[in-house]
């Protein structure tokens, strides 16, 4: 009996106490893609390490390599890899040689191509266990295959290769887990039809990097020092960085699909970000609590905008793509190979702290680190040379989780000596000495408490061990995966086809990729001459701002970014002028998607805006709770109100939710709002009303052929929308026309047809409600971007 002979041999060299103690059962490990690059470089070595670590701890193992390759050729390829497995330096050579020999004997190759192949594998595992008289503890299926193959493999495993009741199943999945939110949702839905959530282990190998894996334990073990300072009052900024010197040559088919944001930032760097920003659960060993804290950290992240990122591409990338993917010379790749992204969390702990995530290929060095830089309020009167410089409160205060490579060339945790001496587990981390002349972030190593692992371990070895132990907190759950894609997808969509900064690569990059934070955005520090990719196409700079007439009213038109800037400035001027004259400013704002960028502009750039004297009103509202993401007030709060100082009593949401029900006529919500307007707004004439236009010509929530609100004496009405949510509350057209000023904002190519139509029709509010906007004693101004105006 093969397995019993192996166990006896291992027992002979003193690894196992006795066969009788082999009571925890047998584990079958099936590595799919056993002859691929990842398996060759990392996975077989990680499985061998698992065997060495666990062979004496009560489980028996067999290892099944599998691929599409035919049996004879696959066996040869796989065993060529296994023969080259390395023994750890701290393992006795003789003992390791025996273990390696046994590992090879416990490993076999299978061609897994058809349903019958999976059925046969299952039969072989069952037969082996029956012959050896062993109980099955569980099976690990490691998917080292492209994601397009996941569904078919999952179907085969589920139908014919599951372990029997009482034994566990662990399915290990490698990234990429989708390309955006929609594709990730689709892949997740397919997999969850075959496997339960607790059976799936999505690998992000960065969670196996020792410095990254130690962030949470470090925070937990040093609560007494960190609790007072791990917050916005003390942290200046956080940098999460992964730089590579290699380029994408040989991998452009993958890279063209994914780029640096999908390849590195959406997963590796985001996971490190979560470890830093999440609230610590009371007990780190409770996996479910850790995962819930991570999810809440995701939910507190502020939405990314186009201006949240700077992007670049190394110069040789285009020719590499043309050569490897057989593209023509005219083909232009807009795939970023460098990205710097500014992230903010709106949690109470981190509000206002910038988190910079940076990664790129063809950079000056290979290094990865997480750096928390603390604010320094000290002023040191005495010269540094005359006292203990190492503990100087005037030196930078920082905590660095050094992932690897770079100047240190080893994983490490560094804490400035002028912060605190950290608590570190002595069995796994030791204080490092030596290299006193080495400088990290401008400071000598002697300025830090430096700790490195007692035993350096490859990330995959760490993760495979965690899979064996069922440690789900080291892996990506479906919920967290989708939360990450929901966060990153809007940015990815907004930067599609965005011009990239070209950089030569390596040390020649100099300052080309340096970037800085300006008013909540990031921009490259050095200006770069713009090279037109298509000189025949008109660019924004080819147009001057158009100021003329539209429907007999003033028209302001420009590219959307410039238009929003102009509109925000005009609103601020109107507000300041009105407050100076009347002491207060009544502003009514519309919902929808168009005003969002305006709200953000006002929040981030207009610090002189007289918010203290401004009353905010809603032009219209959807009949949903104000905490619902569909609510106009919810959007207004998220993008503007929470960032500016408007007095609480100056904010006037529409009362759509009364008596625990929504927009019921008997609750008289419209009358309440109308009375509030009459009570606070002189002559019920708003100082400024901001409107948008729908593709059907509706404005506010006044729709074509609406029965309410287009005429008559009522000032606030309930209306019906043709799209969900159908019920709405809206200011009426007569009330809007009493305003002193009305600004209409129209953005995007999708509004070109209605803009053209409106330029030709007269006053027909029943057909096109926006055509009925004509302030009786005020001014109407149209703000229309070039895409809406010119198509």
């Amino acid at each position: 009996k093969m397995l019993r002979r192996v166990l006896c041999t291992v027992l002979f060299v003193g690894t196992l106490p006795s066969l009788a103690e082999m009571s925890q059962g047998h584990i079958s490990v099936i590595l799919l893609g056993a002859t691929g690059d990842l398996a060759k470089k990392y996975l077989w070595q990680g499985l061998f390490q698992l065997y060495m670590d666990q062979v004496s701890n009560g489980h028996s193992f067999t290892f099944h390599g599998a691929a599409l390759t035919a049996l004879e050729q696959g066996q040869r390829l796989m065993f060529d890899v296994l023969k080259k497995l390395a023994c750890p330096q701290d393992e006795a050579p003789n003992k390791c040689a025996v273990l390696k020999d046994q590992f090879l004997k416990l490993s076999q190759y299978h061609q897994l191509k058809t349903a019958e192949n999976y059925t046969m594998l299952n039969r072989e595992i069952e037969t082996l266990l029956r012959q050896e008289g062993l109980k099955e503890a569980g099976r690990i299926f490691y998917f080292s295959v492209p994601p397009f193959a996941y569904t078919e493999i999952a179907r085969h495993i589920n139908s014919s290769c599951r372990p029997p009741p009482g034994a566990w199943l662990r399915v290990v999945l490698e990234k990429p887990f989708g390309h955006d939110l929609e594709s990730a949702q689709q892949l997740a839905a397919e997999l969850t039809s075959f496997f339960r959530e607790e059976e799936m282990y999505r690998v992000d190998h960065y969670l196996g990097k020792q410095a990254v894996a130690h962030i949470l334990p470090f925070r937990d073990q040093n609560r007494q020092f960190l609790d007072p300072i791990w917050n916005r009052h003390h942290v200046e900024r956080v940098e999460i960085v992964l730089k590579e010197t290699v380029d994408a040559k040989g991998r452009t088919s993958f890279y063209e699909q994914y780029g640096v944001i999908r390849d590195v930032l959406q997963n590796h760097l985001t996971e490190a970000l979560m470890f830093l920003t999440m609230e610590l659960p009371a007990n780190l060993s409770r996996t479910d609590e850790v995962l819930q804290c991570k999810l809440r950290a995701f939910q507190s992240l502020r939405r990314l905008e186009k201006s949240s990122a700077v992007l670049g591409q190394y110069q040789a990338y285009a020719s590499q793509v043309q050569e490897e993917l057989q593209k023509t010379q005219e083909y232009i790749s807009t795939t970023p190979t460098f990205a710097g992204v500014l992230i903010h969390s709106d949690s109470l702990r981190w509000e206002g702290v910038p988190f910079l995530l940076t990664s790129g290929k063809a950079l000056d060095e290979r290094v990865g680190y997480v750096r928390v830089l603390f604010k320094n309020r000290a002023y040191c009167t005495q010269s540094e040379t005359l006292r203990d410089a190492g503990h100087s409160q005037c030196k930078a205060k920082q905590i660095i989780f050094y992932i690897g490579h770079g100047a240190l060339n080893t994983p490490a945790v560094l804490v400035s000596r002028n912060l605190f001496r950290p608590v570190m587990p002595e069995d796994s981390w030791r204080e490092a000495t030596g290299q006193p002349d080495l400088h990290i972030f401008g400071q000598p190593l002697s300025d830090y408490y430096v700790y490195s692992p007692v035993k350096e371990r490859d990330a995959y070895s760490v993760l495979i061990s965690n899979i064996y132990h069922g440690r789900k907190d080291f892996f990506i759950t479906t919920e967290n995966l989708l939360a990450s894609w929901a966060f990153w997808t809007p940015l990815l969509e907004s930067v599609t086809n965005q011009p990239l900064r070209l950089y030569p690569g390596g040390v020649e990059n100099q300052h080309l990729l340096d970037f800085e934070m300006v008013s909540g955005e990031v921009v490259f520090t050095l200006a770069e001459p713009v090279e037109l990719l298509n000189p025949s196409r008109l660019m924004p700079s080819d147009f001057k701002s158009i100021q003329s007439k539209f429907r007999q009213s003033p028209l302001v038109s420009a590219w959307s970014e410039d238009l929003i800037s102009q509109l925000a400035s005009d609103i601020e001027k109107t507000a300041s002028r009105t407050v100076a004259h009347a002491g207060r400013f009544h502003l009514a704002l519309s919902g929808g998607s168009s005003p969002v960028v305006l709200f953000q502009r006002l929040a981030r750039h207009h610090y002189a805006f007289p918010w203290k004297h401004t009353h905010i009103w809603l032009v219209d509202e959807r009949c949903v709770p104000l905490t619902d993401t569909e609510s106009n007030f919810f959007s207004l709060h998220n993008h503007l109100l929470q960032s500016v100082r408007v007095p609480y009593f100056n904010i006037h949401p529409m009362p759509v939710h009364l008596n625990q029900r929504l927009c019921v006529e008997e609750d008289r919500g419209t009358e309440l709002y109308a009375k509030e307007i009459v009570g606070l707004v002189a002559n019920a004439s708003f100082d400024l009303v901001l409107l948008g236009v729908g593709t059907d010509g509706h404005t506010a929530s006044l729709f074509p052929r609406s029965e309410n609100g287009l005429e008559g004496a009522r000032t606030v009405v309930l209306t019906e929308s043709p799209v969900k949510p159908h019920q709405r509350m809206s200011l009426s057209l007569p009330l809007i026309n009493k305003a002193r000023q009305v600004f209409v904002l129209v953005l995007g190519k999708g509004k070109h047809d209605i803009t053209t139509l409106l330029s030709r029709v007269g006053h027909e509010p029943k057909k096109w409600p926006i055509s009925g906007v004509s302030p009786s004693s005020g001014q109407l101004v149209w703000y229309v971007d070039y895409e809406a105006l010119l198509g």
Side-chain angles (χ1 to χ4, degrees), residues 258-538:
Y258 291 93
V260 68
I261 295 178
R262 290 180 174 93
D263 187 37
V264 178
L265 278 78
Q266 179 272 330
N267 36 68
H268 304 331
L269 303 194
T270 300
E271 287 302 312
L273 174 68
M274 292 300 100
F275 284 169
L276 292 170
T277 58
M278 64 183 270
E279 294 300 311
L280 281 181
N283 188 348
L284 265 190
S285 63
R286 291 187 64 101
T287 299
D288 55 339
E289 288 185 23
V290 173
L291 295 174
Q292 282 307 307
C293 287
K294 273 180 72 178
L295 190 60
R296 284 194 288 273
F298 266 121
Q299 292 163 347
S300 71
L301 296 180
R302 190 181 298 169
R303 178 187 167 94
L304 291 174
E305 306 296 333
K306 192 176 183 179
S307 57
S308 304
V310 288
L311 304 174
Q313 184 188 91
Y314 66 83
Q315 286 172 346
Y317 180 77
S319 59
Q320 290 170 353
V321 169
Q322 289 167 2
E323 180 185 341
E324 292 179 20
L325 303 186
Q326 298 179 334
K327 301 287 186 180
T328 63
Q329 290 294 317
E330 288 74 37
Y331 178 79
I332 295 168
S333 170
T334 55
T335 301
T337 61
F338 168 83
V341 178
L342 172 62
I343 294 176
H344 282 99
S345 169
D346 287 327
S347 71
L348 284 175
R349 182 183 294 277
W350 295 114
E351 186 181 14
V353 177
F355 291 82
L356 293 170
L357 274 60
T358 307
S359 185
K361 291 191 171 292
L363 300 181
D364 60 319
E365 63 176 336
R366 184 185 183 191
V367 69
Y369 60 84
V370 175
R371 181 189 184 206
V372 182
L373 185 64
F374 291 86
K375 295 175 182 176
N376 201 327
R377 298 182 175 90
Y379 170 75
C380 297
T381 307
Q382 190 82 340
S383 168
E384 295 284 331
T385 57
L386 300 178
R387 52 200 174 82
D388 180 6
H391 290 80
S392 168
Q393 289 302 309
C394 284
K395 288 198 171 187
K397 300 177 179 182
Q398 48 196 332
I399 297 173
I400 303 159
F401 298 93
Y402 205 86
I403 299 167
H405 306 292
L408 284 179
N409 201 32
T410 181
V413 176
L414 299 89
V415 179
S416 293
R417 289 181 179 270
N418 56 7
L419 270 175
F420 58 87
R421 177 186 278 276
V423 176
M424 297 291 282
E426 293 180 4
D427 59 331
S428 52
W429 292 83
R430 63 179 167 217
E431 192 163 2
T433 55
Q435 298 181 286
D437 298 330
L438 191 64
H439 281 65
I440 301 292
F441 297 112
Q443 290 181 259
L445 212 55
S446 57
D447 280 3
Y448 301 94
Y449 295 111
V450 183
Y451 296 84
S452 57
V454 171
K455 180 180 180 181
E456 234 180 285
R457 298 193 66 185
D458 168 70
Y460 279 98
S461 295
V462 173
L463 291 173
I464 288 170
S465 174
N466 287 325
I467 294 161
Y468 166 80
H469 286 105
R471 289 287 308 274
K472 284 282 287 184
D473 49 327
F474 280 85
F475 299 88
I476 314 301
T477 64
T478 301
E479 208 171 10
N480 274 248
L481 171 71
L482 298 182
S484 179
W485 276 120
F487 175 66
W488 284 101
T489 297
L491 175 67
L492 289 164
E493 290 174 347
S494 71
V495 299
T496 303
N497 300 323
Q498 180 177 317
L500 306 171
R501 169 154 295 193
L502 295 178
Y503 59 97
V507 292
E508 293 179 34
N509 296 333
Q510 294 294 313
H511 300 293
L512 261 182
L513 298 179
D514 293 352
F515 59 92
E516 57 188 283
M517 297 172 282
V518 180
S519 302
E521 302 175 352
V522 281
V523 293
F524 282 117
T525 306
L526 291 182
E528 177 192 40
V530 176
E531 180 182 339
L532 296 186
L533 299 178
N534 185 354
S536 63
R537 184 183 169 196
L538 291 173

Side-chain angles (χ1 to χ4, degrees), residues 29-32 34 63-71 74-75 78 107-113 117 120-122 124-125:
V29 182
I30 300 95
L31 175 55
L32 298 143
F63 299 89
H64 305 265
L68 298 174
T69 312
L71 187 62
Q75 267 180 335
M78 188 182 96
S107 303
Q108 52 187 300
Y109 177 82
H110 305 263
Q111 183 185 31
L112 289 185
K113 200 171 185 179
N117 294 149
M120 190 178 297
L121 171 63
N122 185 60
E124 286 183 24
I125 293 172

Side-chain angles (χ1 to χ4, degrees), residues 24-215:
Q24 292 185 41
H26 182 79
I27 297 173
S28 303
V29 182
I30 300 95
L31 175 55
L32 298 143
T35 57
D37 283 344
L38 186 64
K40 289 177 188 175
K41 288 180 181 176
Y42 302 110
L43 300 183
W44 279 117
Q45 188 67 47
L47 291 173
F48 179 43
Q49 184 66 54
L50 174 70
Y51 179 67
M52 287 189 289
D53 291 344
Q54 300 299 330
V55 69
S56 62
N57 289 342
H59 281 125
S60 60
F61 293 87
T62 47
F63 299 89
H64 305 265
L68 298 174
T69 312
L71 187 62
E72 190 175 331
Q73 184 186 359
Q75 267 180 335
R76 187 173 66 252
L77 289 170
M78 188 182 96
F79 279 95
D80 283 347
V81 176
L82 297 188
K83 288 169 188 173
K84 295 173 184 173
L85 291 174
C87 290
Q89 291 181 351
D90 59 349
E91 194 74 65
N94 290 344
K95 180 181 173 183
C96 183
V98 171
L99 289 174
K100 181 176 174 180
D101 182 56
Q102 303 315 319
F103 182 77
L104 266 65
K105 289 177 180 175
L106 292 172
S107 303
Q108 52 187 300
Y109 177 82
H110 305 263
Q111 183 185 31
L112 289 185
K113 200 171 185 179
T114 65
E116 289 74 22
N117 294 149
Y118 284 85
T119 303
M120 190 178 297
L121 171 63
N122 185 60
R123 196 178 299 133
E124 286 183 24
I125 293 172
E126 289 175 345
T127 301
L128 176 69
L129 294 174
R130 192 167 53 251
Q131 289 174 349
E132 303 291 347
L134 291 168
K135 180 184 176 182
E136 185 160 16
R139 296 181 191 179
I140 296 172
F141 282 88
Y142 200 118
F143 285 41
S144 180
V145 295
F148 67 76
Y150 282 4
T151 303
E152 185 181 358
I153 294 171
R155 185 181 293 109
H156 290 320
I157 292 171
N158 187 54
S159 63
S160 57
C161 215
R162 273 186 170 274
W168 47 256
L169 172 67
R170 290 174 191 156
V171 176
V172 188
L173 305 164
E174 278 283 347
K175 80 175 185 75
F177 312 119
H179 185 264
D180 53 19
L181 178 58
E182 186 180 358
S183 60
Q185 287 171 327
Q186 183 181 345
L187 182 58
E190 290 169 354
L191 289 170
T192 51
S193 66
F194 302 113
F195 305 127
R196 297 190 300 275
E197 180 64 36
E198 64 267 22
E199 293 176 330
M200 289 186 284
Y201 289 69
R202 289 183 186 84
V203 169
D204 183 329
H205 78 273
Y206 250 61
L207 298 185
K209 299 279 187 182
Q210 287 169 287
V212 176
H214 196 62
I215 294 174

Side-chain angles (χ1 to χ4, degrees), residues 159 171 373 412 526 578 581 620 689 756:
S159 63
V171 176
L373 185 64
L526 291 182
T578 305
H581 172 70
D620 64 325
V689 174
T756 304

Side-chain angles (χ1 to χ4, degrees), residues 220-233:
D220 185 49
Q221 291 153 13
N222 290 278
R223 286 181 194 248
Q224 59 176 322
F225 305 117
L226 291 175
D227 276 355
I229 63 172
W230 198 256
N231 55 57
R232 61 193 168 101
H233 302 297

